[in-house]
Structure formats: C-alpha cells, structure tokens
C-alpha cells in the first residue's frame, strides 16, 4: 500500500458544472476524512466516515456537496453547480486505528472559472 | 472551539542553522498533536505524531515537544538544509473527527 491516493490531481471546471473527486485510503484505515484548504490557510474539516457510515458533516459542507463511501473503501466527494468560491485544494486523509495518526493524500486542486 | 496558532508565520534562515517553530492551542483536552510538512501545491506529509501522554518525539533532525498543560508545542529542526524549505503545519486532535490546524509557518532555508 502506497498511502492515500487522490484523483484527479487537478481539475479546472466552468462555474455551474458538477465535479467528482475520488480518494483511496490506506486499506487498513477504517476512518476517512475530507478537508478543504484555501491559499494561506490550514485545512478545514468537511466530513468523515467510519467504514461506510458518514458520521459528521461540517457546516462548510453546503447542500451542493455530497460525499459517499459505499463499501467502506474508497470515497467520492461531489460538488454540484460549482461556484468560484469552491476553488480550493481538497484533501483526503485516513487514520491509523493504532495511534490515530493522520495520513493525507496529495490533494485535488479545483479551479472554478 | 479549539484555536491553533503558529508563530512565526514565515521564517528565513541560512543553511546549517538550528531553528524552532512554535505552535499553541487554546484547549488542552487533546488526544494528540501532529506536525506536517506541505510543499507548495502539494498535500501534507506527516513528520511527527505526539500522543497526549507523551512529552516529545524525535525523527532524524526533527524533534517535537508537547506541553499539554500550557497548550504549546515546538518543532526543532537541527542543521537546516535547503530541502527543508516548506510550510510546516501543526494540528491537534480533540475527538474522533476534529483535527484543528494552524495556518502554518513558511520556512525558507537559504543556501
């Protein structure tokens, strides 16, 4: 296992379009997290899953955002009707159940034009 | 709500110098604290994880300390190298889902 994998690395989309990102966590990590990071800021929590259950969503996650983890393995984050304010780096992380250390992926950089 | 502050926001040092990055947090009821490195436009790389019961962790030229009662952590980098240039982020975990980040310290090591 080579770590947390995110695809695509970059996405440029027109305002109003829908986009979907994928995250493949480390296989033995049962918790998966999505964060958003804007320029010059630290990452901010969006949502997390324990296995297939989505246990919490941040107020940052508007109703245009939806995340799934159907089989408790990979996860997808969809943004509908994208807005310019959605432009950010979207980071996925999973945690080691032994020590709860976070491992982050390389992120998906979204640019809405 | 947990607030994490990192000082300084930016730091520039000549190669070979030892340096200290500071992190403070407002709520001492934490599970652990983690230091990350982020290169421009990239994801986060974990450097050190300190559990709440621990006082420090070391990895190579890096040493992180934790004083939970005072809400402080430091990251010490010995004999800095140009390859250490990056943004360093401190994050504290306060629950199952809550990892709070500081805004980072941007380090530049001048050859």
């Amino acid at each position: 296992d080579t770590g947390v994998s995110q695809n695509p690395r970059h996405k440029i989309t027109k305002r109003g379009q829908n986009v979907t990102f994928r995250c493949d966590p480390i296989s033995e990590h049962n918790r998966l997290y999505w964060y958003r990071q804007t320029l010059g800021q630290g990452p901010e929590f969006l949502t997390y899953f324990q296995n297939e259950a989505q246990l919490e969503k941040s107020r940052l996650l508007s109703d245009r955002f939806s995340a799934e983890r159907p089989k408790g393995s990979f996860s997808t984050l969809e943004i509908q009707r994208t807005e310019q304010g959605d432009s950010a780096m979207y980071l996925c992380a999973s945690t080691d159940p032994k020590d709860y250390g976070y491992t982050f992926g390389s992120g998906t950089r979204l640019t809405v034009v | 709500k947990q607030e994490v502050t990192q000082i300084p926001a930016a730091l520039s040092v000549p190669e070979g110098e030892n340096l200290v990055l500071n992190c403070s947090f407002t709520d001492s009821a934490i599970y652990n604290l983690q230091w990350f490195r982020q290169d421009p436009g990239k994801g986060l790389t974990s450097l050190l994880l300190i559990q709440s019961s621990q006082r420090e962790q070391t990895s190579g030229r890096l040493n992180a300390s934790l004083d939970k009662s005072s809400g402080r952590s430091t990251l010490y980098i010995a004999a800095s190298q140009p390859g250490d240039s990056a943004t360093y982020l401190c994050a504290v975990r306060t629950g199952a889902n809550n990892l709070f980040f500081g805004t980072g310290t941007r380090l530049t090591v001048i050859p």
Side-chain angles (χ1 to χ4, degrees):
Chain A
D1 196 307
T2 57
V4 177
S5 176
Q6 290 189 248
N7 288 289
R9 295 293 303 275
H10 304 274
K11 179 70 176 179
I12 300 174
T13 190
K14 292 183 178 179
R15 189 175 53 184
Q17 297 294 305
N18 300 343
V19 294
T20 300
F21 312 141
R22 175 177 170 130
C23 171
D24 289 87
I26 293 173
S27 57
E28 59 266 29
H29 291 186
N30 60 350
R31 289 185 179 168
L32 183 150
Y33 303 77
W34 286 98
Y35 284 80
R36 182 170 70 185
Q37 186 180 27
T38 53
L39 200 61
Q41 300 298 313
E44 294 177 292
F45 169 77
L46 292 179
T47 188
Y48 97 102
F49 293 83
Q50 180 152 325
N51 300 314
E52 67 276 8
Q54 186 174 18
L55 296 187
E56 185 160 339
K57 296 191 288 187
S58 160
R59 286 173 296 175
L60 293 175
L61 212 66
S62 76
D63 56 7
R64 295 184 298 104
F65 288 69
S66 62
E68 294 182 343
R69 193 183 183 196
K71 297 182 180 179
S73 56
F74 73 92
S75 175
T76 58
L77 177 68
E78 181 183 16
I79 308 174
Q80 296 182 326
R81 305 182 303 282
T82 52
E83 301 173 356
Q84 287 188 318
D86 297 331
S87 296
M89 173 78 88
Y90 290 84
L91 294 161
C92 176
S94 62
T95 52
D96 186 333
K98 296 189 298 295
D99 62 14
Y100 296 105
Y102 282 67
T103 301
F104 280 81
S106 299
T108 294
R109 177 164 296 283
L110 173 66
T111 303
V112 182
V113 298
Chain B
K1 179 188 172 186
Q2 178 75 267
E3 292 185 5
V4 181
T5 304
Q6 291 189 246
I7 294 173
L11 180 64
S12 185
V13 300
E15 181 178 2
E17 194 163 292
N18 302 327
L19 60 101
V20 174
L21 307 180
N22 296 291
C23 171
S24 61
F25 46 95
T26 54
D27 185 351
S28 61
I30 66 170
Y31 282 75
N32 58 40
L33 182 146
Q34 201 163 355
W35 282 93
F36 295 90
R37 167 188 173 134
Q38 187 172 34
D39 294 291
K42 305 293 185 182
L44 278 62
T45 300
S46 180
L47 298 173
L48 289 164
L49 169 67
I50 311 176
Q51 301 297 338
S52 61
S53 59
Q54 298 174 323
R55 296 299 299 263
E56 67 176 349
Q57 284 286 332
T58 298
S59 176
R61 295 183 294 107
L62 305 179
N63 176 277
S65 69
L66 173 64
D67 184 342
K68 200 174 72 163
S69 61
S70 68
R72 296 178 188 274
S73 175
T74 61
L75 178 66
Y76 174 83
I77 302 178
S80 58
Q81 303 171 359
D84 295 331
S85 298
T87 295
Y88 291 80
L89 291 160
C90 164
V92 296
R93 178 171 172 262
T94 58
N97 57 307
N98 288 339
L99 189 65
F100 292 91
F101 282 86
T103 52
T105 294
R106 185 187 305 175
L107 174 66
T108 303
V109 180
I110 303 166

